[in-house]
Amino acid sequence: MLTRRSLAALAGATALALSLAVPAAAQDKIVIKFSHVVAPDTPKGKAAAKFEELAEAYTSGAVDVEVYPNSQLYKDKEEMEALQLGAVQMLAPSLAKFGPLGVQDFEVFDLPFIFADYDALRKVTQGDVGKMLLDKLQDKGITGLAYWDNGFKIMSANSPLMVPDDFLGLKMRIQSSKVIEAQMNALGAVPQVMAFSEVYQALQTGVVDGTENPPSNMYTQKMNEVQTHATVSNHGYLGYAVIVNKQFWDGLDPTVREGLEKAMAEATDYANQIAKEENDKALEAMKAAGTTEFHDLTEEERAAWVEALAPVHDEMAERIGAETIAAVKGALGM
Ligand code: LMR
C-alpha cells in the first residue's frame, strides 16, 4: 500500500520527470493571453485565431498565443483591469468601452449615423486620426496596435421598431458608452449598461426589452431566439481596438515584436476583409431561422431616426472632445 510519504515522493518524481521531458524552448515561451467576450465564430473571434496562428509562425514558436473567447476569463470591465494589471497581455474591446478607462474620445465612433459605410470608417481608423486616438492610451499603460472591424448595428426588441416613438419606455441594454446612452435617451428609451456576457439572459428573462449589436454578435449569442423584432437600421458602428499591456510590449525582444507586428498587420487585413461578409451571413441565418421579424427602414423612417438622433452629436461634443470630433469629421470630409 502506498503511504502518504511514498505518494508525495512519487508526485515529486513525476513532476521532475515531466519538467525534464519538456524542452527548454517550450518552458521559455512568451505567453500572450488574449481575452475577448464574443464567440469564436465572429469577425473578432476569427481574427484572434488568425493572429494566434500567424504570431506563432512569425516568431518561430517563441510566442504562444492563448485565445480565451466568450468572456471565459473576464467580462467587459474586468478584462480592461486585467490588462492593466498584466494578468492578460492582449484584448480587443469594442471602441464603446474605453470611457470607463478615462479615454472618452473613442466614443466618437458611437455617434449615430456618422459613418456612411466601411469605406468612410476606414478613412479614420486607417489614417492619422486613428493613430492619434490609439496614442491616447499610452498614459493608461496600454499600447494600441490596430483597429478591427465588426459592423453596423441593428436594433432589436419584442415589438416593432420602425419610428423613434416605438422606443418610448423600452429598457435597452447598452455598452458602457455615454454616447450610446444619449442615443437611447434621444429615442425615449431607458438605457441600461450591462456586460455582453449577460445580455442573452437579460433579454430572455425580460430584465431588458431590447438591445443593439451587429448581426454577427446577435446571431452567435442566439439573441434572435429571444427578440421577436429587429430593424436593420445601421444607425451606428461597432468595431474594436486591439490593445496590449504597454510594459509587456515594450519589454519584448525587438525581433519578437517585429514578428508580432507583422502578424497583427495581416490579422487586421483579414479581420477587415471578413467583417462585412460575416455580418451579412449572420443576418441571412437569422432571417432563415424565422424567430425574429426583420424590418428595413423606409427612407421616411430613416429620416425620422436621423432627425431624432442628430442632437446627440452636439450634446456629446464636450465629452468626446472638440478636437477629436473635428479631426474625425475632417477625415470624413464633413
Ligand atoms: C457588446 O458588448 O455588445 C460588444 O462590444 C461585444 C463585442 O465585443 O463585440
Side-chain angles (χ1 to χ4, degrees):
M1 204 176 90
L2 287 170
T3 62
R4 189 180 291 205
R5 183 179 293 216
S6 60
L7 265 177
L10 185 63
T14 312
L16 179 68
L18 277 176
S19 74
L20 289 176
V22 180
Q27 288 180 344
D28 294 336
K29 269 185 197 260
I30 300 160
V31 175
I32 296 184
K33 288 192 176 160
F34 186 162
S35 169
H36 69 80
V37 299
V38 297
D41 197 17
T42 54
K44 177 161 66 180
K46 289 187 172 183
K50 173 66 82 185
F51 174 72
E52 175 179 2
E53 172 199 321
L54 296 173
E56 292 174 0
Y58 293 158
T59 59
S60 310
V63 171
D64 180 16
V65 179
E66 297 174 358
V67 179
Y68 297 92
N70 266 326
S71 310
Q72 241 172 55
L73 280 189
Y74 299 104
K75 295 193 217 175
D76 294 323
K77 194 168 159 285
E78 290 86 10
E79 71 172 15
M80 283 287 198
E81 290 159 5
L83 184 82
Q84 286 181 297
L85 292 171
V88 293
Q89 288 68 39
M90 188 173 278
L91 307 173
S94 153
L95 299 166
K97 290 177 183 167
F98 286 85
L101 198 71
V103 188
Q104 296 153 206
D105 305 61
F106 284 98
E107 291 181 7
V108 71
F109 291 99
D110 301 325
L111 285 172
F113 296 111
I114 190 169
F115 304 110
D117 49 31
Y118 283 99
D119 286 343
L121 170 89
R122 300 239 171 87
K123 286 186 185 148
V124 177
T125 54
Q126 309 304 313
D128 292 343
V129 183
K131 263 199 221 91
M132 178 270 282
L133 289 172
L134 291 180
D135 281 348
K136 289 181 185 272
L137 296 169
Q138 295 278 340
D139 284 352
K140 310 288 173 195
I142 291 173
T143 299
L145 296 180
Y147 291 93
W148 285 358
D149 277 341
N150 189 337
F152 290 88
K153 295 179 284 189
I154 62 185
M155 289 279 201
S156 66
N158 288 313
S159 49
L161 300 170
M162 294 175 185
V163 290
D165 274 357
D166 293 334
F167 285 86
L168 279 180
L170 290 186
K171 279 179 279 164
M172 299 292 285
R173 177 270 168 173
I174 58 165
Q175 308 173 77
S176 59
S177 155
K178 292 287 177 203
V179 172
I180 300 179
E181 189 179 304
Q183 167 202 281
M184 290 302 187
N185 283 329
L187 292 170
V190 183
Q192 218 163 300
V193 176
M194 188 180 289
F196 185 65
S197 55
E198 290 162 13
V199 182
Y200 174 85
Q201 208 184 355
L203 291 170
Q204 190 186 36
T205 55
V207 168
V208 289
D209 301 304
T211 189
E212 56 163 23
N213 238 302
S216 58
N217 277 349
M218 184 175 174
Y219 179 56
T220 51
Q221 297 296 319
K222 300 187 167 45
M223 293 180 202
N224 59 309
E225 292 177 7
V226 288
Q227 296 277 263
T228 57
H229 289 77
T231 294
V232 186
S233 46
N234 296 327
H235 60 280
Y237 170 77
L238 193 156
Y240 310 106
V242 188
I243 57 178
V244 282
N245 177 292
K246 179 172 154 50
Q247 203 182 353
F248 166 78
W249 193 250
D250 291 348
L252 289 172
D253 179 284
T255 347
V256 169
R257 200 165 46 233
E258 262 166 43
L260 294 176
E261 278 166 355
K262 183 164 143 71
M264 183 54 65
E266 287 180 30
T268 299
D269 285 346
Y270 171 78
N272 296 345
Q273 247 168 40
I274 64 166
K276 184 172 184 311
E277 198 190 319
E278 289 291 319
N279 277 299
D280 289 349
K281 277 197 306 203
L283 184 56
E284 286 317 308
M286 288 192 287
K287 285 182 179 170
T291 47
T292 312
E293 199 174 306
F294 285 88
H295 175 69
D296 290 316
L297 290 178
T298 64
E299 248 173 69
E300 261 178 23
E301 287 164 352
R302 188 173 187 279
W305 283 53
V306 171
E307 195 188 331
L309 294 173
V312 174
H313 287 238
D314 282 343
E315 210 181 300
M316 288 290 116
E318 202 180 320
R319 176 172 171 85
I320 295 166
E323 224 176 280
T324 294
I325 296 191
V328 168
K329 291 198 169 167
L332 294 174
M334 288 167 94

